[in-house]
């Protein structure tokens, strides 16, 4: 996908500035002018696939003309005629690239996939044409060298510092010959990342489990079985049943299916993705990507790609990340082994003559939970109806904490009928943002959950946020309620935490808007927002039985809260295993990249002490999109790194009374509104009043005393 490349290009955000001249792009193209819809919301009803390629071409031409004018300005460089001018550049390109990238992830088709393959290397080349422009770099460097004499305010001074660092890290100091090499690396890497992404989606769809009889789905609800029949029908398999896969290794039906043979088939299909031969096999893509990233890092003067990537994160270096992961691996696996022993007792008591495996964990974990806490996930789902969770849970918490209010609107176009649109109003009654909720899974939608923005806030550009959340909740048959698992509820709160980060942004420059922060900091605010999912006042407001409207019984609520540490050995181990794989692949020098992907993966897990077969990595290498599609390359550790900050912040909220406006206002003022306009850990210090401590994280994950 193009979003990573776009973030490197000097593209501003859609603004109230004059539209591009007709000579740049035909006036019939909806990207030729800024959307006249509220907050420049995209005109999805007018945007067609054929509009993208000419808009991309025109946008790149326009920005290169703008950049050329900056680089060749005969006047001495100033902050305004160089840095601010670059921030204003690329508005047409931003409109098309942002919309395309978001749609290609949420609602793709063969045409969009083909455009993505064509544009990925071109966008990489476009970024190179800017960041490897020596005249432009010399202007930035001249300003940076005398930065202390320019009288800049803190945000402007930090912007200058960031631009200089961006140019240097992009290769501005390389020789002419090395710049040629770098451009080739960037183009090839962009192409391979796109191939990896598209292979994962297509392989996930192709690997769906096909079953012949209703009896094989025993344990699933009638509605769930009906949904599997409907999925089969859409694939031309009338009379059969299809369980579609999601991108993680674990699959939700594993917790329900009582037929062990079916569970094993489902897990095997999940684990084999991208490594079983055929047109979607990702092993060769992984080898090429790992090699090219390592060679590119070496060209830029780094020992490996992870060292290059982490230099620009709050972790700073591989030693810090390796230390964190290693410190947690041993106690996490020890916890997982204890949990496996409890599961084995249940299996043995039921007369099962097998050792617990990866396909059994979720199914028997629910039995252990039921025995220990006298409830299971199926008891919770009737109280987690999706609309209630969103409007009376997620929105309610935002109202109590920040004074926000929401009003659904039906007059704005959407790219899929399932997408809902809400106006977001601040405590003073003024519109703050527009929020899109795209909650259901589709075969043409990438897996997982994520937030993106169609328009980002910027005082310079006069814009406010148009932000979207995407989940992959299975859509029930028509007329049936959408009942969520607790994990889906938590994910909805999590993604809305990202949305708040975007909506509350109050910065001058587009470069710093919203979630434009270090990767190992971006998950922190969203993880904090998860705490409100089980905050008693919030839970009581949304956890109502979908039929009777009765509140979730207090004893069930108490059990939910008491069980929060349950299964943390599994959850921590599967996450650490994936994080360790991400680091091992990206801490290789070019000559160390192996030819055997699965062999390297197995050896890496064993070496790290997390090779516990009942708990496979959350993502295996060949479908690890976070790592090999570019977004979190050498950065998957970020969730745990952010959780250290998150757990410490949750303690602050508890110490200060919890769900109170004064607490929300403090979090918003000191951190959420600041985007990336200052050093990330400096922002945390402003909020918390001190450096982060790890004790709350260890307690949360049950890793104390091991």
């Amino acid at each position: 996908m193009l979003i990573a490349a776009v973030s490197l290009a000097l593209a501003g955000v859609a603004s109230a500035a004059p539209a591009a001249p007709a000579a740049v792009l035909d006036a019939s193209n909806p990207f030729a002018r800024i959307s006249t819809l509220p907050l420049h919301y995209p005109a999805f009803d007018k945007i067609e696939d054929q509009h993208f390629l000419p808009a991309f071409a025109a946008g790149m031409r326009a920005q290169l003309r703008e950049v050329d004018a900056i680089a060749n300005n005969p006047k001495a460089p100033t902050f305004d005629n160089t840095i601010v001018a670059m921030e204003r550049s690329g508005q047409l390109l931003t409109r098309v690239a942002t919309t395309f990238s978001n749609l290609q992830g949420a609602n793709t088709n063969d045409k969009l996939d083909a455009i993505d393959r064509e544009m990925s290397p071109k966008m990489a080349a476009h970024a190179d044409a800017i960041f490897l422009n020596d005249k432009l770099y010399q202007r930035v460097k001249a300003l940076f060298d005398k930065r202390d004499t320019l009288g800049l305010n803190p945000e402007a001074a930090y912007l200058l510092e960031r631009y200089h660092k961006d140019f240097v890290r992009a290769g501005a100091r390389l020789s002419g010959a090395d710049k040629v090499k770098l451009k080739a690396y960037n183009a090839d890497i962009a192409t391979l990342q796109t191939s990896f992404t598209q292979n994962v989606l297509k392989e996930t769809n192709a690997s769906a489990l096909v079953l012949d009889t209703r009896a094989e789905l025993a344990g699933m609800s009638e509605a769930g079985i009906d949904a599997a029949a409907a999925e089969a029908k859409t694939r031309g398999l009338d009379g059969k049943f299809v369980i579609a896969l999601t991108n993680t290794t674990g699959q939700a039906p594993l917790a329900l299916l009582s037929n062990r043979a079916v569970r094993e088939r489902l897990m095997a299909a999940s684990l084999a993705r991208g490594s079983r031969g055929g047109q979607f096999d990702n092993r060769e893509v992984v080898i090429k990507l790992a090699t090219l990233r390592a060679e590119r890092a070496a060209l830029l003067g780094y020992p490996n790609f992870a060292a290059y990537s982490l230099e620009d994160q709050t972790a700073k270096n591989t030693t810090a990340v390796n230390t964190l992961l290693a410190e947690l691996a041993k106690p996490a696996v020890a916890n997982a082994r204890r949990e496996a022993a409890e599961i084995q007792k249940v299996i043995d008591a039921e007369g099962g003559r097998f050792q617990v495996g990866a396909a059994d964990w979720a199914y028997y974990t629910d039995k252990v939970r039921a025995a220990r806490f006298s409830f299971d996930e199926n008891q919770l789902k009737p109280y987690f109806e999706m609309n209630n969770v969103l409007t009376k849970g997620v929105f309610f918490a935002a109202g109590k904490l920040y004074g926000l209010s929401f009003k659904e609107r039906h007059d704005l176009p959407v790219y899929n009928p399932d997408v809902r649109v809400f106006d977001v109003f601040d405590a003073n009654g003024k519109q703050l943002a527009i929020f899109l909720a795209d909650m259901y899974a589709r075969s043409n939608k990438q897996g997982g959950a994520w937030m993106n923005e169609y328009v980002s806030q910027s005082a310079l550009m006069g814009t406010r946020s148009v932000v979207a959340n995407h989940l992959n909740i299975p859509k029930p048959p028509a007329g049936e309620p959408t009942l969520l698992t607790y994990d889906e509820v938590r994910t909805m709160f999590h993604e809305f935490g990202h949305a708040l980060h975007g909506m509350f942004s109050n910065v001058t420059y587009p470069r710093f808007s919203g979630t434009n922060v270090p990767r190992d900091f971006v998950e922190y605010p969203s993880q904090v927002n998860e705490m409100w999912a089980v905050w008693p006042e919030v839970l009581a407001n949304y956890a109502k039985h979908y039929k009777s409207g009765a509140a979730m019984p207090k004893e069930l609520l108490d059990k939910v809260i008491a069980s929060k540490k349950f299964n943390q050995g599994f959850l921590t181990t599967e996450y650490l295993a994936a994080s360790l794989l991400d680091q091992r692949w990206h801490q290789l020098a070019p000559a160390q990249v192996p030819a055997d992907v699965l062999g390297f993966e197995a050896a890496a897990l064993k070496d790290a002490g997390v090779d516990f077969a009942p708990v496979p990595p959350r993502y295996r290498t060949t479908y690890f999109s976070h790592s090999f599609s570019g977004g979190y390359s050498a950065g998957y550790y970020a969730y745990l790194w952010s959780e250290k900050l998150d757990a410490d912040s949750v303690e602050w909220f508890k110490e200060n009374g919890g769900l109170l406006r004064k607490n929300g206002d403090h979090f918003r003022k000191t951190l959420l509104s600041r985007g990336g306009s200052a050093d990330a850990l400096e922002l945390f210090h402003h909020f918390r009043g001190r450096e982060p401590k790890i004790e709350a994280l260890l307690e949360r994950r049950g890793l104390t005393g091991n």
Side-chain angles (χ1 to χ4, degrees):
M1 293 174 66
L2 297 175
I3 194 64
V6 172
S7 68
L8 285 176
L10 302 177
V13 294
S15 76
V24 174
L25 182 62
D26 189 275
S28 64
N29 192 305
F31 292 110
R33 64 193 59 80
I34 295 163
S35 170
T36 58
L37 295 174
L39 306 193
H40 312 307
Y41 180 98
F44 292 117
D45 56 335
K46 294 182 173 61
I47 297 170
E48 299 178 5
D49 295 345
Q50 64 265 26
H51 292 136
F52 285 110
L53 281 177
F56 267 118
M60 288 189 289
R61 288 196 303 270
Q63 187 173 27
L64 289 180
R65 284 197 299 270
E66 293 162 351
V67 167
D68 185 66
I70 298 167
N72 292 288
N73 189 337
K75 295 182 179 179
T78 66
F79 183 78
D80 284 339
N81 72 18
T82 302
I83 304 301
V84 174
M86 287 192 289
E87 281 289 274
R88 290 186 180 278
S89 75
Q91 294 174 38
L92 168 58
L93 182 58
T94 296
R95 287 199 295 278
V96 58
T98 302
T99 302
F100 175 80
S101 180
N102 294 345
L103 290 180
Q104 207 273 332
N107 206 52
T108 195
N109 57 48
D110 289 343
K111 290 182 180 178
L112 294 185
D113 285 350
I115 294 170
D116 197 21
R117 289 191 294 272
E118 179 177 345
M119 289 308 306
S120 290
K122 290 182 178 180
M123 284 293 286
H126 178 73
D128 286 340
I130 296 169
F131 284 102
L132 300 182
N133 182 321
D134 189 60
K135 288 183 178 179
L136 187 61
Y137 170 62
Q138 293 304 324
R139 291 181 71 88
V140 174
K141 182 177 184 299
L143 291 170
F144 181 76
D145 288 345
K146 59 178 182 179
R147 58 193 179 280
D148 294 334
T149 68
L150 299 177
L152 301 175
N153 66 41
E155 184 179 345
Y158 195 59
L159 182 67
L160 174 57
E161 177 186 331
R162 287 303 319 177
Y163 263 108
H164 182 262
K165 190 171 186 179
D166 288 344
F167 271 89
V168 171
R169 286 174 53 79
R173 292 175 172 173
L174 294 178
S175 67
D178 283 345
K179 284 180 179 179
V180 172
K181 292 181 183 178
L182 182 65
K183 290 176 182 179
Y185 284 137
N186 290 341
D188 290 344
I189 289 169
T191 299
L192 287 167
Q193 287 176 172
T194 298
S195 296
F196 187 95
T197 301
Q198 295 186 5
N199 283 347
V200 168
L201 178 59
K202 292 173 181 177
E203 176 80 298
T204 296
N205 287 328
S207 299
L209 184 63
V210 181
L211 300 167
D212 296 320
T213 67
R214 198 175 186 91
E216 290 174 287
L217 281 78
M220 292 178 62
S221 67
E222 290 301 310
I225 296 174
D226 289 343
E231 178 65 24
K233 190 172 183 178
T234 64
R235 295 172 182 242
L237 300 171
D238 288 30
K240 294 186 182 293
F241 303 84
V242 168
I243 298 177
L245 300 188
T246 55
N247 199 37
T248 51
T249 296
Q251 304 295 320
L254 291 170
L256 304 171
L257 294 164
S258 58
N259 185 320
R260 187 171 192 247
V262 173
R263 292 200 306 271
E264 289 184 318
R265 287 175 58 194
L266 181 59
M267 177 56 77
S270 182
L271 289 168
R273 284 173 293 158
S275 62
R276 57 180 186 172
Q279 59 181 321
F280 308 134
D281 194 304
N282 261 333
R283 286 175 290 185
E284 190 64 30
V285 177
V286 166
I287 292 169
K288 290 179 179 178
L289 258 178
T291 301
L292 287 172
R293 286 175 175 171
E295 290 176 347
R296 180 182 182 275
L299 182 66
L300 291 168
Y302 297 85
N304 52 60
F305 177 81
Y308 166 78
S309 178
L310 293 173
E311 178 193 58
D312 206 32
Q313 306 300 316
T314 65
K316 301 302 182 187
N317 56 63
T318 58
T319 300
V321 174
N322 291 343
T323 298
L324 175 68
L325 298 180
E327 285 178 348
L328 297 179
K330 185 176 180 180
V333 174
N335 274 7
R337 291 186 182 278
R338 286 192 290 271
E339 291 164 1
E342 290 190 66
I343 290 173
Q344 191 63 50
K345 289 178 182 178
V346 176
I347 294 172
D348 295 343
E350 292 184 352
R353 297 182 178 180
F354 58 86
Q355 291 294 309
V356 58
D360 306 310
W361 194 284
Y363 182 74
Y364 283 97
T365 289
D366 267 357
K367 291 176 178 284
V368 174
R369 181 190 288 109
R372 184 184 299 178
F373 301 103
S374 300
F375 87 96
D376 60 35
E377 287 286 347
N378 288 327
Q379 288 176 268
L380 298 178
K381 291 182 72 172
Y383 296 96
F384 293 155
E385 190 276 324
M386 185 174 73
N387 187 62
N388 270 356
V389 175
L390 178 63
T391 61
K392 298 181 181 180
V394 173
F395 290 173
F396 173 78
K400 297 289 288 186
L401 194 61
Y402 303 109
L404 300 186
S405 58
F406 304 81
K407 183 178 180 180
E408 188 163 10
R409 59 188 302 171
H410 304 279
D411 59 323
L412 292 178
V414 291
Y415 54 84
N416 184 282
D418 290 332
V419 177
R420 301 172 68 183
V421 182
F422 299 84
D423 281 333
V424 185
F425 299 96
D426 217 333
N428 60 10
K430 294 182 179 179
Q431 185 164 13
L432 176 70
I434 292 176
F435 173 70
L436 292 83
D438 180 0
M439 299 301 181
Y440 289 119
R442 295 184 290 274
S443 61
N444 65 340
K445 184 180 184 182
Q446 71 179 27
W450 70 99
M451 165 270 202
N452 58 30
E453 288 188 276
Y454 288 94
V455 182
S456 301
Q457 179 276 331
S458 163
L460 178 69
M461 313 302 283
T463 52
R464 284 171 286 167
S465 177
V466 177
V467 62
N469 276 175
H470 306 269
L471 275 69
N472 268 280
I473 297 167
K475 189 174 182 179
E480 294 288 333
T482 304
L483 304 180
L484 309 185
T485 65
Y486 172 69
D487 187 59
E488 288 166 340
V489 171
R490 181 191 57 78
T491 300
M492 192 180 290
F493 276 84
H494 175 100
E495 294 305 328
F496 197 72
H498 286 305
L500 290 170
H501 205 177
M503 292 189 291
F504 284 153
S505 178
N506 186 23
V507 300
T508 300
Y509 304 107
R511 173 69 171 76
F512 295 145
S513 182
T515 56
N516 287 322
V517 299
R519 189 181 298 118
D520 56 6
F521 193 77
V522 73
E523 297 298 334
Y524 155 51
S526 57
Q527 290 174 189
V528 170
N529 205 59
E530 293 177 27
M531 72 177 288
W532 308 117
V534 293
W535 194 260
E537 182 180 359
V538 179
L539 190 61
N541 197 61
Y542 75 82
K544 307 287 181 67
H545 198 283
Y546 77 98
K547 286 184 177 178
S548 68
M552 179 185 288
K554 184 178 184 303
E555 57 270 23
L556 187 55
L557 164 60
D558 291 342
K559 290 171 183 176
V560 172
I561 295 173
S563 69
K564 285 180 67 177
K565 291 183 184 178
F566 180 74
N567 207 37
Q568 280 297 321
F570 171 89
L571 294 171
T572 307
T573 299
E574 69 157 3
Y575 168 77
L576 283 173
S579 300
L580 286 158
L581 283 178
D582 178 40
Q583 288 300 315
R584 292 301 174 92
W585 278 109
H586 291 112
Q587 290 183 26
L588 297 172
Q592 296 174 319
V593 176
D596 179 4
V597 170
L598 300 186
F600 176 81
E601 178 182 281
L605 295 174
K606 183 176 182 179
D607 182 61
V610 293
D611 58 332
F612 184 38
V615 187
R618 185 170 177 80
Y619 301 97
R620 294 192 72 191
T621 299
T622 51
Y623 50 89
F624 200 169
S625 295
H626 285 78
S627 184
F628 289 99
S629 293
Y632 278 74
S633 307
Y636 194 62
Y637 76 94
Y639 291 90
L640 190 60
W641 192 272
S642 291
E643 192 178 353
K644 175 182 175 181
L645 309 180
D646 149 41
D648 200 3
S649 298
V650 167
E651 291 306 305
W652 180 90
F653 275 101
K654 291 178 179 178
E655 291 165 4
N656 287 276
L659 192 70
L660 300 176
R661 273 292 305 280
K662 68 180 182 69
N663 292 339
D665 289 347
H666 177 65
F667 194 40
R668 177 178 178 174
K669 179 181 179 181
T670 58
L671 197 141
L672 293 178
S673 67
R674 301 289 304 279
S677 63
D679 177 79
L681 291 182
E682 178 184 324
L683 293 178
F684 176 86
H685 196 282
H686 287 165
F687 161 68
R688 190 65 168 101
R690 59 164 171 76
E691 298 301 310
K693 296 181 180 179
I694 199 171
E695 286 75 12
L697 168 62
L698 299 177
E699 174 64 24
R700 172 189 290 182
R701 289 202 171 243
L703 300 179
T704 55
N706 292 307

